Structures are given as C-alpha cells and as structure tokens.
Amino acid sequence: MANIKKDYKDNVVILSNVTEINDTNYWKITQIERESVEKNIEFINIKVSISDKKTIFFLMENAFTIKSREGNFYIFEKKCQNIKSLRLSLTGECNYQCFFCHGEGSKMGDKREENSKEEMYSLIKEAIKNNYTDITFTGGEPLLKLDDIIWYLNKLSEDNLKPYITIVTNGSLIEDRLLDAIENYVGENREIFKFNFSMHSLKNEVYLDIVRPVIKAIPTDKNNLLELVKENIKKIKARNLIVKLNFVLLKNKNTDKKDIEEILDFAYENKVDYVKFLELLVTEDLIKKDMYKFYLTLDTLLDEWKNELVFYKRTTRRDEYLYKGETKVELQQCICMEGCAKCLINTSVFLTSESKYFPCFLKPEKVLNVDSNELISKIAEGTEYVKELGREYGNGSPILVRNKKHVEEKEEYYYISKKAFTEKEIENILEEYSYKIGPKRNFKEKYLKTISMDKEDYFKEGKIYKFYENSEEKGFVETLQEIKYIEENKKFLIKFLNKKIGYEDKKISKDKMDDYLNYLKAFNLEVFLELEWDTIEYIKDSASISLGLAKLNKDDKRKITFMTKEKIKDKEIIEKLGLVELEELVIKYISK
C-alpha cells in the first residue's frame, strides 16, 4: 500500500490505490483513521477492486460496510472511532478477588502512593479541555473511593463541565447519596451517565466462587451479596439511570444455555439497558495460572443463541443484538484480542490515581508519569509507542489472536526433537531464550477416509477430511484440507478447500456427533484416526513456536512436535532443543 491516495470530501477521508489489506498492514489504515479523528473527520472510505476478495472479507470483518459501487470497485465505509476517552483507575484495591482478574494491565499488585483528588481533578479538567469527552472511573473497585467520586461530580457541575461518565463497579457499595449526586449531575440528560456492573453469574454459589469477596470489606453476609447487588441494580433503574451488566464468559462456569437465559431474562424483566458478554482475556500471568481452560469464544455463544438474539447494529468495537425486542446485548472481545493495529483507534487513555499513564494494556512496564501541564504531550508519546506496536504486530498481538475465517491457505513448518524432553524442560529452554508462554489449548480430532482406501495412500494424497473440537468452542467443526509438502522449502502448504469453494464450516454438537458419523457410513466413510492435542504457543517479538503434544489413546505417551509459521532462524534454539525438520504429515508421524 505504498502508493495509497488520500482525498477529503466534507467529513470523509477517501482512500484509493489500495492493494491487499491484511493483518500485517492494517496498521497503516488505523493510523490514517486516527489522524482523521484528530481532524474531526467522521468517516473513512476505502475504494477496493471487486476482484480483491481477501481485502473485501478483511474489511467486512473489521466493521466496514459496502456503501456503494463505482464500476469495478466497491466503496467501503466505517465511522471513525472516537478515541477521546479517559479511563481513570481510582484505586488498586478491591473488595472482590475475582480469580481471573488481570488488574487493568497496570501492575495492580504494586503498592500505590495515590495523589490527592485535587491533583487528579486537574488531570480530568485538562483532558476535557482537549476534547476528552468520555470519562470512566474504574479500579480495583472505584466505589471504595465513593466520597471522591461524589466530589468529582460536584466539582464538574460547579465548573459547568458535563463529560459522559461511566462507573465500572461490582455493585456492592452503591449508596443513596451517590445516586443523589449523580441525579444532580445529569439533570434532565440521563444519557451522560452509566453504570457498568461486573456480574459474571446470577447463581449465588457460582457468583461467590468467581468473585471471592473479601469478607471484611463487603457490606453484608457473603451469602446475601448477590441479592444485594441485584437490589442495587433495581434501585439505580428506579432512578431511570443507565445500567449495563458485564459478564465475562467462563467455560463450565457461566456459559450453559440456562445460565445465559437467566442473565438475559433478569435484564429484560428489570429493564436493564444493556447486557455485555466479553471473551476472557488471558494475560501471560493468568496463562501460568492455567486460566486458559476457562476461555470460550463469543461465536460459540452466538451459535447457541442465533434464534433468540436479533441483530441490531454493528459498531467499531462490537456487534449488538436485541433480546425479546428490547434488551440490548453486546458481544465484545477485549481490545487486546482485536490486535495491536486497532489499539490506536480502540483504546482509552488509562491513568492511575498516582498519575501514571499506561499506553499498553499488555506491556505495563511502559509507564509515563504525567501532570496537568504535560498530559497531552505524554499522551502523544504514548500514542507513538502504540503505533510502534501496531507496526510490529499488525492485526496480531503479543497474545493469541485466532486465525480469521477468510484464510484460504497457509504455510507451516514442523520440527521434532532428537532429544527426550519433558514439557517443563522445553518451557524452561524457551523462556531462557526470551520466549513468553502463550495460551494453552486442547483439541480433539476425528479423521475420516473412505473404507476401501489404504491409510498410507490417504497420507500420500494429503486430502484431509476431519472434525475437530477445540477448548475455545463447543461442538465439532467439519473441515476439508489439502496438505502438500514442498520439499524445496521444507514446508507444508495447507489449503482449506471448503473455504475456497465458499462452503461454510459445519458445526456438529457433541450429542449429535455419533449420529452424524453413523450417517456418513452410508457414504462409505469411516473414522480411522482420533487424536487429542494439547498445544501451547510461545511468543518472542513477532515470532512464535507452537508446541504440540498429541496422543492416540488415553494411555499413550504423548508425542511432541513443534510448529512455526516461518522457518526457525535461531540456531541456538535449534541446537538446544535438538530440532530437525519433519518431512511427513504430522498425523502420519503421530499415528506411527
């Protein structure tokens, strides 16, 4: 996209001479969008050849819609994302200890020397002066600083400043005097204030298991805590204030259909404005605590609820649906799962109560000290850092970002070790060479072939028909692949044949899988191989090594393989791990 052309018309920036847009170069588009927002331009248009299918799919997955057609070009449009928002952590303390808490990415475990509310207010005023019109109070638990919040609201009213305000809270510390101050602040304009309740479950036992309250710091017996939070929601709605309920999806904790139904019905019956379901963000620290087993995709939830949730609208960050025609339901990934390129247009300016600015959620070691005299210059410095990450990681990130569904083919390199290592020994070696542990996933695979076909001929042909289930979703997905070994480069070329012919992935629920396999027998197809995998991704800068541990049967010793998207260039790693390139299909090697 070196020769990309920019034109401006009214409040639109129009991009033409655009070649393929993808994960690696999307940062160029987001930088233009960011610059456009700073110039108060509202929309970004991109002119794309109708034959450029990859760019078309990519833009549609990134919140662009087709505006019009001009000859052999589509004009894609997206409303520019407003990045003028300030997120203020009032305290690192919390009266809950949610087991998956990532501490806002700001080293919450560190002891804080908090500044005065007067100093913090000077930062808020400076931000508002520079058009930061959206303020979020978060924590820890921000209502541990309830008196300070009331003071901020009163000061903003006195100074005739009325930014949009959100309080992100667990909802246990709501008091009438806070609601009185809010009513005084909003006046007739109720739209400028919102509560985001972190709920996670409406079942008392599950709720307590997730939030793990600090007994001395909650205002009721723990067994009455969930009911107190529910009553606080009703109390807020009685004052006609906006409430959003946030539920982080936690596999096998709160994701059964009955759990989701209870959540949606509670929101509907109590006229809650929004319910938001979020994918779990598993940071490096939480990966080491084995939190990835709780990760479940939003797609899984949507697949189960596609008949009850009616599409409402798409925004830059999320899709919105309606439940029973009234309750708005948002499905949103964490911005870090969206990729570093998008962070430039997605993220708020995040400050702590000691006036520290953290530009990157995942890299809290990058921190800038700010005061009201240099807030804007520090934000600019942080923005440049975010741009660097966008250029380095593209639409990926230092944590796992799943492959996009429009990928039709990919290249992979496989290695095995000449030495006998345990999983822990491999982890220690990779960490020694600065690789950081990424998410751990589990796969179950069922491979099918025609009954009359010899297994060796199947491997030789490389036409793979299989069903797989991974730990991020529910049910088995059908896929048809062609895998070729390219001897010249010692790499494997994998083509997703079902995607090349426009065939949608078919998902079969667990309870229907055996029936479907019996149905396929009528077409002379049989399951001849079943594998179970544990995979762990190790990341160093833009490089990654995926460790695969596979077994055929429950009692089998697991075989270890290494997979990379590019050939390993680090000779020390190759020597230390005793790696040699695998020159046969992985499933053939595993099944020996």
Side-chain angles (χ1 to χ4, degrees):
M1 295 195 296
N3 298 316
I4 192 168
K5 182 181 177 184
K6 287 188 287 185
D7 293 298
Y8 298 90
K9 183 179 180 181
D10 299 326
N11 65 342
V12 180
V13 57
I14 304 165
L15 308 183
S16 55
N17 289 350
V18 175
T19 53
E20 182 183 330
I21 302 174
N22 53 42
D23 282 329
T24 59
N25 62 22
Y26 188 56
W27 61 270
K28 296 180 181 179
I29 303 297
T30 59
Q31 290 201 13
I32 292 171
E33 182 176 344
R34 175 64 179 254
E35 292 163 3
S36 300
V37 170
E38 298 288 359
K39 296 175 182 177
N40 295 318
I41 291 171
E42 192 173 359
F43 294 94
I44 179 169
N45 285 188
I46 303 180
K47 192 174 183 179
V48 180
S49 169
I50 61 173
S51 63
D52 189 353
K53 291 183 180 180
K54 288 186 178 180
T55 296
I56 290 170
F57 287 139
F58 184 87
L59 291 177
M60 292 177 73
E61 285 189 342
N62 285 276
F64 282 83
T65 57
I66 296 177
K67 178 184 179 184
S68 61
R69 178 172 175 175
E70 295 180 2
N72 292 324
F73 293 89
Y74 288 127
I75 307 300
F76 280 86
E77 181 171 86
K78 181 169 81 73
K79 185 178 176 64
C80 292
Q81 174 74 358
N82 178 21
I83 43 78
K84 294 285 191 175
S85 58
L86 183 71
R87 193 172 181 92
L88 185 59
S89 172
L90 297 180
T91 178
E93 297 179 1
C94 188
N95 58 344
Y96 285 11
Q97 294 178 324
C98 298
F99 71 80
F100 61 86
C101 182
H102 46 60
E104 291 278 4
S106 62
K107 298 184 178 179
M108 285 292 180
D110 293 353
K111 183 173 176 58
R112 289 195 194 178
E113 299 295 333
E114 296 180 349
N115 288 334
S116 68
K117 59 182 181 290
E118 288 81 8
E119 289 174 290
M120 299 310 299
Y121 184 65
S122 68
L123 288 171
I124 293 172
K125 284 185 68 175
E126 183 64 17
I128 294 171
K129 176 183 172 182
N130 286 274
N131 299 317
Y132 282 79
T133 56
D134 193 315
I135 311 293
T136 296
F137 292 124
T138 182
E141 169 51 52
L143 293 187
L144 289 169
K145 295 286 186 177
L146 186 143
D147 290 338
D148 286 2
I149 292 176
I150 293 174
W151 186 86
Y152 291 136
L153 294 174
N154 291 337
K155 286 291 291 180
L156 288 167
S157 295
E158 289 172 14
D159 292 338
N160 199 28
L161 300 172
K162 292 296 178 76
Y164 287 82
I165 291 180
T166 301
I167 295 179
V168 180
T169 175
N170 58 44
S172 65
L173 301 175
I174 303 294
E175 294 185 19
D176 287 342
R177 61 193 180 100
L178 171 64
L179 301 182
D180 291 341
I182 293 169
E183 284 201 292
N184 179 65
Y185 177 79
V186 301
E188 297 297 320
N189 189 5
R190 302 282 162 146
E191 297 295 318
I192 66 172
F193 200 98
K194 178 173 63 181
F195 280 98
N196 277 6
F197 273 60
S198 299
M199 291 288 289
H200 310 315
S201 178
L202 291 181
K203 286 184 165 54
N204 193 59
E205 185 176 336
V206 177
Y207 180 79
L208 294 175
D209 182 51
I210 292 172
V211 306
R212 301 183 306 168
V214 180
I215 303 301
K216 294 181 180 179
I218 57 174
T220 185
D221 177 83
K222 74 171 185 176
N223 292 316
N224 298 323
L225 184 58
L226 179 57
E227 285 305 312
L228 171 66
V229 173
K230 289 180 181 178
E231 288 305 313
N232 284 339
I233 291 168
K234 295 174 184 178
K235 185 185 293 186
I236 293 169
K237 286 310 302 175
R239 302 219 187 192
N240 199 28
L241 296 170
I242 297 173
V243 174
K244 179 185 289 189
L245 305 183
N246 291 345
F247 292 83
V248 173
L249 295 179
L250 300 166
K251 187 177 181 182
N252 298 324
K253 288 280 186 183
N254 62 3
T255 55
D256 286 346
K257 192 158 188 180
K258 287 184 179 179
D259 295 330
I260 304 298
E261 184 177 25
E262 184 176 8
I263 291 165
L264 294 174
D265 284 342
F266 174 83
Y268 176 77
E269 291 163 6
N270 290 283
K271 301 189 183 302
V272 169
D273 302 89
Y274 299 89
V275 175
K276 180 160 70 175
F277 294 104
L278 301 108
E279 286 185 356
L280 175 66
L281 172 67
V282 189
T283 61
E284 183 182 349
D285 287 342
L286 294 182
I287 289 167
K288 290 180 178 178
K289 295 177 183 177
D290 198 25
M291 291 294 107
Y292 203 77
K293 64 187 178 187
F294 297 109
Y295 179 76
L296 189 74
T297 65
L298 290 169
D299 286 343
T300 298
L301 182 146
L302 184 57
D303 186 60
E304 288 188 331
W305 282 87
K306 58 189 174 186
N307 296 325
E308 292 92 345
L309 297 179
V310 177
F311 183 76
Y312 175 54
K313 67 178 180 180
R314 169 166 288 180
T315 65
T316 305
R317 287 279 310 280
R318 62 186 71 91
D319 287 343
E320 294 184 11
Y321 298 81
L322 289 179
Y323 179 65
K324 295 186 176 180
E326 290 186 21
T327 306
K328 294 184 180 68
V329 179
E330 300 177 347
L331 304 182
Q332 181 175 317
Q333 287 184 327
C334 169
I335 58 173
C336 297
M337 292 296 283
E338 293 272 315
C340 290
K342 292 184 189 175
C343 194
L344 200 62
I345 54 174
N346 275 345
T347 191
S348 306
V349 171
F350 180 72
L351 303 178
T352 68
S353 54
E354 50 187 352
S355 302
K356 289 185 176 180
Y357 166 38
F358 291 83
C360 175
F361 192 93
L362 289 177
K363 293 181 174 290
E365 63 273 12
K366 175 68 173 179
V367 58
L368 302 171
N369 293 310
V370 300
D371 61 39
S372 57
N373 294 322
E374 57 179 4
L375 175 63
I376 302 307
S377 64
K378 291 294 184 180
I379 290 175
E381 184 179 340
T383 299
E384 289 304 312
Y385 179 66
V386 173
K387 285 182 180 180
E388 291 173 14
L389 294 176
R391 285 189 286 266
E392 180 178 357
Y393 292 104
N395 236 32
S397 80
I399 62 172
L400 174 73
V401 175
R402 295 181 306 281
N403 290 327
K404 301 294 188 295
K405 289 188 175 179
H406 68 258
V407 172
E408 295 178 354
E409 62 183 52
K410 62 180 180 178
E411 296 176 355
E412 291 179 345
Y413 297 82
Y414 287 90
Y415 301 82
I416 56 175
S417 177
K418 296 180 292 183
K419 303 177 182 179
F421 287 115
T422 64
E423 177 188 332
K424 186 62 180 177
E425 287 171 336
I426 293 170
E427 178 182 322
N428 290 339
I429 291 170
L430 289 170
E431 288 188 343
E432 179 187 345
Y433 286 89
S434 301
Y435 281 84
K436 293 185 177 181
I437 190 170
K440 179 178 182 179
R441 297 192 292 176
N442 175 265
F443 292 85
K444 293 179 181 178
E445 298 178 318
K446 300 177 184 291
Y447 291 84
L448 290 90
K449 66 175 182 64
T450 55
I451 293 172
S452 60
M453 189 177 198
D454 182 77
K455 189 164 69 171
E456 289 301 313
D457 290 338
Y458 177 89
F459 291 143
K460 186 176 180 179
E461 187 175 283
K463 293 284 198 314
I464 307 300
Y465 179 36
K466 70 176 180 179
F467 290 86
Y468 70 90
E469 179 190 44
N470 70 47
S471 55
E472 299 174 353
E473 302 187 32
K474 296 179 181 178
F476 285 84
V477 176
E478 180 185 47
T479 183
L480 181 63
Q481 302 172 4
E482 179 183 73
I483 305 178
K484 288 186 177 180
Y485 178 64
I486 312 299
E487 190 169 357
E488 180 184 355
N489 307 104
K490 293 191 175 182
K491 67 182 179 184
F492 291 87
L493 178 63
I494 302 168
K495 295 182 180 180
F496 298 89
L497 301 181
N498 47 332
K499 293 171 184 174
K500 279 188 172 292
I501 61 175
Y503 175 71
E504 290 294 323
D505 291 340
K506 183 187 295 179
K507 184 176 285 188
I508 311 295
S509 62
K510 281 185 179 180
D511 58 335
K512 301 290 184 184
M513 194 63 214
D514 288 341
D515 290 341
Y516 191 70
L517 292 174
N518 285 329
Y519 164 75
L520 290 177
K521 286 180 181 178
F523 297 90
N524 201 32
L525 292 167
E526 65 173 358
V527 175
F528 77 98
L529 179 63
E530 295 189 55
L531 294 179
E532 184 169 346
W533 292 83
D534 285 329
T535 65
I536 311 168
E537 186 173 14
Y538 291 87
I539 303 164
K540 179 180 179 181
D541 300 325
S542 58
S544 68
I545 297 175
S546 291
L547 179 66
L549 303 99
K551 59 183 177 181
L552 283 166
N553 301 301
K554 185 177 180 181
D555 298 325
D556 284 348
K557 183 178 179 181
R558 296 192 296 183
K559 287 189 176 181
I560 297 176
T561 59
F562 302 79
M563 188 277 290
T564 62
K565 295 175 183 177
E566 296 180 354
K567 189 168 288 191
I568 298 176
K569 298 174 183 177
D570 192 334
K571 292 182 179 179
E572 287 184 306
I573 282 289
I574 291 175
E575 183 178 344
K576 193 83 173 180
L577 291 173
L579 299 182
V580 294
E581 289 161 314
L582 186 62
E583 299 181 5
E584 60 184 348
L585 293 185
V586 173
I587 56 171
K588 182 178 180 180
Y589 168 73
I590 297 297
S591 63
K592 287 180 178 178

